[in-house]
Amino acid sequence: MRHPGVAFAKISLLLLAPWTVVGQPATSKAISRTPDDKRDLSGVWVNTSFKKLPGGGVSRFSGRNLPFAPGGEALWNLNLNGDPHHDNPHFLSPVDKEGNFGCKPWGFPQSALSANAQQFFQPPGYLVIIYEAMHATRMIPMDGRSHSKDLEPTYLGESVGHYEGDTAVIDTIGLKEGASDGSGHHRHTEAAHYVERYTRTGPATMSFELTTDDPKIFTKPWKSGPWTMQLHPEWTIQESFCEDNNQDPGVIDYLHHIE
């Protein structure tokens, strides 16, 4: 079951259901502000401006005229070979006849670039983002602190942030080598460095821009977006896991293909 009119946004139970959406109602003409006078980013959002591909799926990056370093294009693009386990790196283990399989967590920026819904909270000093896809959560300090030293790479990395006027700016490093989009067909190395910029642009809209910097793949940083995110006060973030209770038709079709 899907949210009306939005691809990939699924419906199931939410562990955080008692939390209510506190974003400004979409019918209001004003953009609300937090007690510390920041634009209120709270609420359930979905990215509505990813490019839709023929036959389903979405594209986040153009793939054209990117500043590739020598050998970088081969690192960035997963070389598809027809093996579904290779071509779908999100899947960790083979699927057996009983339908059992394992999944790698969606890291960053894969979670942020999902076409599923995501919910923002702005407690004092932090920006918290909960992703419906794989139910990942980021708790980002927004006090302008520096990154930690000697980070151990993780799926979501270390994110620190600050505000530039009405824009929330988030800086992320310390990532495991992995996927850079929802399909996993674009990749990054452990040297990857990402900067997100979120700006509330209207009562029901927010701009999202992503800067990618990976010196092992690119000669210089480059920007994607800005994409438009749409506020849905009537929605609640739902539970979605690859390992269990997954109703995503794409996963079901994949399982049938493997069998």
Side-chain angles (χ1 to χ4, degrees):
M1 185 176 183
R2 298 172 183 269
H3 292 298
V6 179
F8 304 110
K10 300 178 285 292
I11 294 183
S12 51
L13 276 183
L14 168 66
L15 295 175
L16 300 173
W19 294 19
T20 57
V21 178
V22 295
Q24 182 76 4
T27 56
S28 171
K29 294 183 179 180
I31 299 175
S32 62
R33 305 189 78 87
T34 62
D36 56 354
D37 201 33
K38 308 299 182 186
R39 285 198 177 181
D40 188 5
L41 305 182
S42 301
V44 177
W45 299 87
V46 68
N47 198 315
T48 59
S49 59
F50 290 145
K51 180 182 177 181
K52 294 184 179 180
L53 298 174
V58 295
S59 173
R60 285 84 172 170
F61 308 117
S62 68
R64 298 178 179 177
N65 300 319
L66 296 181
F68 288 115
E73 190 168 5
L75 294 173
W76 170 247
N77 292 306
L78 183 67
N79 184 23
L80 304 181
N81 63 12
D83 178 352
H85 294 297
H86 172 271
D87 294 352
N88 294 274
H90 173 57
F91 292 102
L92 178 63
S93 62
V95 180
D96 60 29
K97 292 182 179 180
E98 287 71 38
N100 298 311
F101 63 99
C103 294
K104 294 180 180 179
W106 274 30
F108 185 83
Q110 192 175 20
S111 292
L113 294 175
S114 168
N116 290 73
Q118 47 193 274
Q119 187 162 3
F120 284 58
F121 297 89
Q122 276 177 291
Y126 287 87
L127 182 62
V128 179
I129 308 176
I130 299 175
Y131 300 103
E132 186 174 72
M134 305 306 153
H135 227 57
T137 300
R138 298 166 71 200
M139 184 175 291
I140 304 158
M142 296 297 292
D143 55 6
R145 70 184 65 180
S146 300
H147 282 291
S148 304
K149 296 182 179 180
D150 301 321
L151 287 171
E152 184 72 23
T154 57
Y155 285 103
L156 291 174
E158 181 185 65
S159 297
V160 297
H162 63 279
Y163 289 94
E164 295 180 2
D166 288 328
T167 298
V169 182
I170 304 169
D171 191 290
T172 300
I173 62 172
L175 291 157
K176 288 178 177 284
E177 178 181 334
S180 293
D181 60 7
S183 68
H185 294 166
H186 294 303
R187 316 290 290 169
H188 62 243
T189 72
E190 290 185 3
H193 173 202
Y194 292 99
V195 177
E196 302 154 85
R197 300 180 68 88
Y198 295 95
T199 307
R200 185 80 176 261
T201 54
T205 55
M206 179 164 63
S207 172
F208 168 35
E209 181 181 85
L210 180 69
T211 298
T212 299
D213 182 16
D214 191 333
K216 292 185 178 181
I217 299 179
F218 305 106
T219 59
K220 61 181 180 180
W222 54 277
K223 293 182 179 180
S224 302
W227 299 287
T228 297
M229 301 182 72
Q230 188 74 31
L231 179 66
H232 284 273
E234 75 282 12
W235 285 11
T236 305
I237 288 289
Q238 307 301 314
E239 184 177 280
S240 173
F241 290 104
C242 179
E243 291 83 358
D244 187 30
N245 194 33
N246 193 308
Q247 303 301 313
D248 188 327
V251 173
I252 294 172
D253 290 344
Y254 172 79
L255 296 178
H256 289 164
H257 175 73
I258 295 297
E259 293 176 353

